[in-house]
Amino acid sequence: MFDTLDIERDGGIATVWMNRPDVHNAFNAQLIADLTAACQQLDADESVRVVVLAGRGKSFSAGADLNWMKAAGEASVDENLADARLLAGMLRTLSEMNTPTIARVQGAALGGGMGLASACDICVASEKAVFATSEVKFGIIPSAISPYVIRAIGERQSYRYFQSAERISAQRAGELGLAHEVVAPEALDDKVAEIVAALLQGGPKSQAAAKALIRAVANQPVSDAVVEDTSRRIATLRSTPEAKEGLSAFLDKRPAAWVPQA
C-alpha cells in the first residue's frame, strides 16, 4: 500500500497510478519515495511483465509540488542535496527497471513529469498532453531529469527547451522523439494496450538484456571493445533456456511459453 499511488494488476500488467489529482500529481517527498519503492517491488516480481505509469485526474504530473519547492528554498544546501539525490535515485530506478515501462500521458507532464515520461521506455501521449522543462521560470534547472530528457529529445533540442521553458505540444513531442505515439484522448488506452500486447510476445529476460544493451551501446563509437561486448552478449543469450524456447516455439509454429494464454 502506498499513500500517493494506486497499483492495479491485470495478469502480468501493473498500472501504477500517481494519485494526487488535487495537485496534478506533483512531486513531494512521499510521492518520490513511493515511486521508488513501487518500481523496486514490481521489478523484483517476475510475474510482472509490463509496468504502465499513469496519473489520476487531468494531469500526468505537473512536476514539483509548490509547497515542497518553497520548503526547499528555505532549506540548507545539504538538505537540498539529500532531496535531489532521492529524486535522481527515483528516476534512475524507473529508467533502469528490467521490466518494460510505458508512460501513459493524458495531460500535463511538466518539469519532473516530463522527466518521468522520458525515463520510461515508451511514451504514449494524448493529443491533449503538454510537456515542458519549466524549471528556469523558477530560477532553477532541470537537473535530475536531464539525463533522461536529453536522451529522449537530444542535446540540440535540449539547448532550446531547457532555456526557453516553452510548452511542447503532444504533436511536437512526437516530432522530437519524446512521445512514441500521439493519439486522440479516447484512443489512449487502446494504444497503450496495443503496445502492451506487443511487449508480451517478447521473452522477459531478452527484453531486460535488450535494455541493458541499449545503455551499453548508445552514444559509443563502434570500437573494438563495443564489437566484442555485443558479440559476447548475443553468444551468452543464445544458450539460455529462454532463447532455446523461443527458437523451438518459432519452429513449431506455436506461442512461446512466456506468451499469455488467450
Side-chain angles (χ1 to χ4, degrees), residues 91 142-151 158 162:
L91 290 164
S143 195
I145 68 172
S146 62
Y148 314 102
V149 177
I150 293 171
R151 182 179 69 185
S158 296
F162 280 23

Side-chain angles (χ1 to χ4, degrees), residues 67-155:
N67 290 326
W68 186 55
M69 287 180 66
K70 183 178 179 182
E74 298 168 354
S76 68
V77 172
D78 285 345
E79 289 169 329
N80 270 290
L81 180 57
D83 271 352
R85 284 172 172 161
L86 291 172
L87 173 57
M90 180 271 287
L91 290 164
R92 185 176 184 180
T93 299
L94 172 62
S95 174
E96 294 185 357
M97 289 178 70
N98 289 319
T99 312
T101 55
I102 302 174
R104 175 196 180 276
V105 182
Q106 85 285 17
L110 309 178
M114 183 166 169
L116 288 174
S118 301
C120 287
D121 300 330
I122 300 165
C123 175
V124 182
S126 158
E127 291 170 345
K128 292 186 177 180
V130 61
F131 303 83
T133 50
S134 46
E135 285 82 355
V136 292
K137 288 186 176 181
F138 303 101
I140 55 176
I141 54 175
S143 195
I145 68 172
S146 62
Y148 314 102
V149 177
I150 293 171
R151 182 179 69 185
I153 70 173
E155 180 181 353

